[in-house]
Amino acid sequence: MAALPNIFAVIGSDDGRVKEEALREHRKLTGGIDDGFTHEMIEGTADNSEGAFQICRSVVEALQTLPFFGGEKVVWLKNASFLVDDVTGRAERTLSGVDSLKSCLEGGLGKGVVFLLSATGIDKRRAFWKFLEKNAHVKVYDKIDTSREGWQEEVADLVEKRARDLGLRFEPDALELFVMLAGEATRQIGNELEKIDLYLGLDRREVTLDDVRRMVPLSRAGVVFEIGNALQRGDGARALELVDQQLERGENAIGLMRASIIPTVRNLFMAKVLAEKRLPMRNYKDFAAAVDRLPEMERMWLPQKKAGGVNIYPLFLCLRGAEAFTMDGLRGAMESALKADRSLVTTGLDHRLVLHRLVAEVTSAARKR
């Protein structure tokens, strides 16, 4: 079934992107002209079910009122908060209001009347969503799922696109760190890019690693990433400084090691193996294509995405670091990581001491050529 020409919806869990795209859609539908009389914007944030019902009633009244001066009239239900599966969303009063809105839309809108909905959440089991799915022009903008392998690639693509819009270019190392610090939220990414844009000014457009470190706050994910970077560089002092900071903040030593140190050592070893196959190492797309062409038996032991296929991005990030290690050095580092993990789990040794010794053993291996 073709979507109706006068019903539009912008929905998704990425709050910043939804608001940005909904505003863009509204400007397109109104031609960028809103004198305060022709079009109606109804705020959709409801404190309770009665508020949700009254909002729906206001929207229905606006949709049933034809444009006073003729032409088109856009009714925007903005930031609707009562379409999700929560206490307000499940209330009978809310459901009654939403059902009346659906009935109004199903009955057809008057000539020149357009409905636009924006919401950061919607219960997709309910009839209202099923109606929109079949009849509206729906755009969905959900946050990138950071629990899935390979999320960094998606975020990096988003960051590069937004950076180009601002005329910015990232050095490879700077982009990697920015992705880990800014996370997956579009609004946060936009805020951090704007800060960097203002900081650099008009004369400099290339973003360096120092720029990112100076301007973007160090989140937990960023600390984990930075510890891994320090290990790859053989910078034991920096790695120990970050480890101590996290321990002083109450971070669990086992969690810290399994989130950062063990994955880094493992990925360095795998990257070293792949590098010895003389695969293209300087360009990510060429490297990914070469890995995909390897025989299945040579790919099975590599880290896998939940959706299937090799999780190539973290291996690519470790290629340069792996050059500083010998294969024997990395085997020794993996054995040290295994012993440290066992010590943390099965003995009463001081956790800080265990991690310090492990960092020293890994970074000393990086200096062996």
Side-chain angles (χ1 to χ4, degrees):
M1 181 183 295
L4 297 174
N6 53 356
I7 302 179
F8 299 81
V10 182
I11 294 167
S13 58
D14 191 333
D15 178 62
R17 189 81 185 277
V18 167
K19 289 181 178 178
E20 181 180 288
E21 294 298 331
L23 181 58
R24 183 178 289 117
E25 191 70 41
H26 184 258
R27 286 173 177 166
K28 185 169 71 173
L29 292 171
T30 61
I33 301 171
D34 187 358
D35 55 12
F37 297 99
T38 306
H39 310 291
E40 292 195 49
M41 185 185 302
I42 298 169
E43 178 59 46
T45 303
D47 295 328
N48 50 48
S49 59
E50 181 59 31
F53 179 85
Q54 295 300 332
I55 289 170
C56 289
R57 189 169 75 170
S58 297
V59 174
V60 170
E61 290 176 354
L63 291 172
Q64 292 176 340
T65 304
L66 296 177
F68 187 75
F69 298 107
E72 285 200 343
K73 169 185 177 180
V74 178
V75 178
W76 182 7
L77 173 51
K78 183 181 180 182
N79 303 329
S81 66
F82 50 85
L83 300 174
V84 295
D85 181 27
D86 61 7
V87 174
T88 298
R90 290 191 297 268
E92 287 299 322
R93 190 69 166 157
T94 299
L95 295 175
S96 174
V98 174
D99 189 57
S100 68
L101 174 56
K102 181 171 79 73
S103 296
C104 175
L105 295 173
E106 286 175 331
L109 302 179
K111 184 178 179 181
V113 177
V114 177
F115 175 61
L116 170 63
L117 164 71
S118 63
T120 52
I122 189 167
D123 188 346
K124 295 185 178 180
R125 299 168 300 177
R126 298 202 180 276
F128 187 65
W129 164 253
K130 297 184 187 305
F131 168 79
L132 291 176
E133 197 173 27
K134 291 180 180 178
N135 298 281
H137 299 271
V138 179
K139 294 181 180 179
V140 178
Y141 300 99
D142 284 329
K143 285 183 180 179
I144 294 170
D145 184 358
T146 56
S147 67
R148 287 170 36 209
E149 299 286 356
W151 66 269
Q152 299 97 328
E153 298 170 56
E154 296 181 63
V155 175
D157 287 342
L158 175 62
V159 171
E160 286 191 302
K161 179 180 181 300
R162 297 209 155 206
R164 282 196 299 271
D165 292 341
L166 293 171
L168 298 173
R169 301 179 306 277
F170 274 86
E171 291 181 348
D173 288 345
L175 177 62
E176 293 161 13
L177 180 58
F178 184 93
V179 167
M180 299 307 301
L181 295 181
E184 79 289 359
T186 306
R187 176 178 291 181
Q188 181 68 16
I189 289 171
N191 289 342
E192 299 304 337
L193 285 174
E194 287 177 9
K195 282 164 51 180
I196 290 174
D197 182 36
L198 290 172
Y199 171 73
L200 294 181
L202 298 176
D203 295 334
R204 187 158 66 91
R205 297 281 83 194
E206 186 167 60
V207 184
T208 67
L209 193 61
D210 285 341
D211 295 329
V212 175
R213 285 177 174 156
R214 185 173 291 112
M215 299 304 298
V216 184
L218 197 62
S219 63
R220 182 189 183 280
V223 170
V224 167
F225 184 71
E226 277 284 79
I227 291 172
N229 269 347
L231 293 175
Q232 291 184 48
R233 298 192 306 270
D235 188 350
R238 176 60 174 163
L240 291 175
E241 177 189 2
L242 293 169
V243 165
D244 286 345
Q245 285 178 6
Q246 292 305 99
L247 292 176
E248 288 167 7
R249 291 172 182 171
E251 181 71 49
N252 179 275
I254 297 173
L256 187 60
M257 184 169 68
R258 292 181 179 177
S260 180
I261 301 176
I262 290 177
T264 298
V265 173
R266 180 198 64 199
N267 288 336
L268 282 168
F269 178 78
M270 292 178 175
K272 189 71 174 179
V273 172
L274 293 174
E276 292 191 347
K277 295 181 182 295
R278 301 191 178 280
L279 303 181
M281 296 170 54
R282 300 303 173 189
N283 179 277
Y284 172 73
K285 290 183 178 179
D286 291 343
F287 176 72
V291 172
D292 286 338
R293 287 195 298 268
L294 291 173
E296 184 177 359
M297 290 299 295
E298 294 185 30
R299 288 184 280 113
M300 288 178 60
W301 72 289
L302 300 174
Q304 303 291 310
K305 297 179 182 179
K306 292 180 182 178
V310 178
N311 186 20
I312 297 174
Y313 193 70
L315 299 178
F316 179 74
L317 296 185
C318 284
L319 284 172
R320 280 167 291 175
E323 294 176 355
F325 292 82
T326 64
M327 188 63 77
D328 286 341
L330 285 170
R331 288 194 184 98
M334 287 201 295
E335 289 175 5
S336 296
L338 176 61
K339 290 177 183 177
D341 189 72
R342 287 176 177 168
S343 294
L344 290 178
V345 174
T346 63
T347 72
L349 292 176
D350 179 76
H351 286 188
R352 186 187 300 269
L353 177 62
V354 172
L355 290 182
H356 276 218
R357 184 168 61 193
L358 175 59
V359 167
E361 290 173 351
V362 172
T363 53
S364 64
R367 289 192 288 271
K368 296 176 183 176
R369 298 283 178 169

